[in-house]
């Protein structure tokens, strides 16, 4: 039987962007007002009180456009958002919830208000519970920022997200794809993987995406593969015994003899008190004599004259040099006018 649903769609052309998110307008809400009121509240730290009080008119005006009411309670230290009779978008209250969360995490109000736009999402990553040691946590958190904030700026440009590191959390705003990348990089950084590796990978992917021939291919051969270095500080023994040469026996090794057993074998155990003291004294004196003789030999080494081998060699060299030069001629001596 031929398929009935696979038909030509003349209205479906190539110039239509199927992934585009259409803006939700008041006329799109066919259900009318909400049956019940929805509200969200969040607490904010004391140091944000002055800033929130000054920025609250901007937040109120932004939420009124979507029909959301907001309340700032300075006594209790909380922010509340809730739906009203004018609310037409069901997702607006969820965006307002993310807005007050970002404001509590020190995100500036002009930046946090962008969460109300379509295609912008937020993610607050908790990083304090990923590292136990506080000093180690501070160092790894600093890696996300980098020197003079250069690493953070590079991550923002590559992921196209706004990132703010504040206290025990990292607040991010952007597309869903970018937020997924940011979360992965932040968690890897707290797991002792430097963010520079992720930055290199993102830069290569960005260049590969520009090439139309490589868009639909696998990029693994272009991406860098960093080897994991296991820097173990375990000390290796100086002498490693080869246990493979030993013959296996099911019996345990013989028990070592105790000090009493050794004394019984030598007969010392049966000696009297005076005899034991006399023997111990003799052993001490014997050790003292050995040490004295050793020190005496070391002192006498300084007074031993060196062997005169070098002087003898120099004399032999002089003699050899004289012989090579030729035999000396004998002088003629005149005796009574005669030559000898």
């Amino acid at each position: 039987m031929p398929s009935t649903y696979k038909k030509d769609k003349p209205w479906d052309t190539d110039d239509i962007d199927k992934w585009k998110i259409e803006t939700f307008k008041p006329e799109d809400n066919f259900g009318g007002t909400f049956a019940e009121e929805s509200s969200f509240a969040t607490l904010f730290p004391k140091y944000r009180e002055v800033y929130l009080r000054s920025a609250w008119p901007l937040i109120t005006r932004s939420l009124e456009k979507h029909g959301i009411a907001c309340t700032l309670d300075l006594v209790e230290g909380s922010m509340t958002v809730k739906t009203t009779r004018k609310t037409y978008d069901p997702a607006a209250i969820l965006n307002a919830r993310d807005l007050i969360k970002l404001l509590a995490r020190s995100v500036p109000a002009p930046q946090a208000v962008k969460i109300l736009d379509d295609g912008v999402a937020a993610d607050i990553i908790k990083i304090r519970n990923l590292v136990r040691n506080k000093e180690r946590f501070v160092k790894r958190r600093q890696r996300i920022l980098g020197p003079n904030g250069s690493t953070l700026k590079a991550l923002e440009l590559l992921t196209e997200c706004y990132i703010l590191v504040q206290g025990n959390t990292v607040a991010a705003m952007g597309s869903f794809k970018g937020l997924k990348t940011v979360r992965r990089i932040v968690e890897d950084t707290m797991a002792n993987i430097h963010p520079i590796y992720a930055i290199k990978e993102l830069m290569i992917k960005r260049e590969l995406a520009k090439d139309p021939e490589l868009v639909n291919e696998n990029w693994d051969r272009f991406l860098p593969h960093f080897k994991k270095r296991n820097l173990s500080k375990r000390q290796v023994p100086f002498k490693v015994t080869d246990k493979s040469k030993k013959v296996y026996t099911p019996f345990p090794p013989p028990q070592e003899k105790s000090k009493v057993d050794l004394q019984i074998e030598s007969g010392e155990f049966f000696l009297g008190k005076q005899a034991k003291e006399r023997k111990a004294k003799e052993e001490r004196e014997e050790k003292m004599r050995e040490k004295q003789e050793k020190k005496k030999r070391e002192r006498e080494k300084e007074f031993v004259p060196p062997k005169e081998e070098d002087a003898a060699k120099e004399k032999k060299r002089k003699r050899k040099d004289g012989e090579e030069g030729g035999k000396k001629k004998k002088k003629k001596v005149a005796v009574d006018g005669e030559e000898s």
Side-chain angles (χ1 to χ4, degrees), residues 33 64 68 80 116 122 133 136 179 197 213 274 330 339:
T33 58
E64 278 180 356
I68 303 292
T80 309
L116 299 173
N133 192 348
R136 197 174 296 164
L179 292 176
Y197 300 124
E213 296 178 359
Q274 292 180 352
K330 292 181 180 180
E339 291 182 359

Side-chain angles (χ1 to χ4, degrees), residues 10-20 22:
W11 61 87
D12 191 3
T13 56
D14 295 335
D15 58 342
I16 296 173
D17 187 6
K18 298 178 183 179
W19 295 99
K20 185 181 178 182
E22 297 291 340

Side-chain angles (χ1 to χ4, degrees), residues 263-279:
Q263 286 178 353
I264 291 171
E265 286 184 0
S266 62
E268 185 183 350
F269 183 78
F270 304 103
L271 296 175
K273 186 178 180 181
Q274 292 180 352
K276 286 181 181 179
E277 291 176 356
R278 198 185 315 111
K279 189 175 181 181

Side-chain angles (χ1 to χ4, degrees), residues 146-274:
N148 299 324
S150 57
T151 306
L152 188 70
K153 191 66 180 175
L155 289 173
E156 285 183 343
L157 292 171
L158 291 167
T159 58
E160 298 179 355
C161 292
Y162 171 82
I163 306 169
L164 178 70
V165 181
Q166 173 70 20
N168 298 333
T169 59
V170 177
M173 289 177 62
S175 62
F176 289 103
K177 186 179 178 182
L179 292 176
K180 187 178 179 182
T181 308
V182 170
R183 177 173 275 274
R184 178 176 59 82
I185 293 169
V186 169
E187 288 178 352
D188 287 349
T189 304
M190 301 313 290
N192 203 20
I193 299 172
H194 205 281
I196 192 66
Y197 300 124
I199 290 170
K200 287 181 179 179
E201 189 177 333
L202 289 171
M203 289 174 70
I204 294 167
K205 284 182 178 179
R206 195 176 189 179
E207 294 298 321
L208 291 170
K210 295 177 183 178
D211 193 347
E213 296 178 359
L214 300 172
V215 169
N216 299 321
E217 289 188 14
N218 190 7
W219 294 346
D220 286 343
R221 55 198 171 105
F222 301 107
L223 299 176
H225 299 285
F226 302 102
K227 292 182 180 179
K228 186 178 180 182
R229 296 179 180 180
N230 187 12
L231 302 176
S232 177
K233 295 183 179 180
R234 186 177 67 85
Q235 293 183 353
V236 181
F238 184 72
K239 290 183 179 180
V240 181
T241 56
D242 189 5
K243 295 182 180 180
S244 62
K245 294 180 180 179
K246 292 185 177 181
V247 181
Y248 172 73
T249 54
F251 305 106
Q255 189 176 2
E256 293 183 1
K257 293 180 181 179
S258 64
K259 189 177 181 180
V260 178
D261 295 337
L262 295 172
Q263 286 178 353
I264 291 171
E265 286 184 0
S266 62
E268 185 183 350
F269 183 78
F270 304 103
L271 296 175
K273 186 178 180 181
Q274 292 180 352

Side-chain angles (χ1 to χ4, degrees), residues 113-156:
V113 166
K114 293 178 183 178
I115 195 66
L116 299 173
D117 300 336
D118 292 329
V120 181
D123 189 12
I124 296 174
I125 308 160
K126 296 180 180 179
I127 56 175
R128 183 62 189 95
N129 55 354
L130 299 176
V131 183
R132 286 187 179 182
N133 192 348
K134 191 174 181 180
E135 293 179 2
R136 197 174 296 164
F137 164 75
V138 172
K139 286 181 181 178
R140 293 182 186 178
R141 184 182 62 182
Q142 184 61 31
R143 285 182 192 172
I144 303 171
L145 299 171
N148 299 324
S150 57
T151 306
L152 188 70
K153 191 66 180 175
L155 289 173
E156 285 183 343

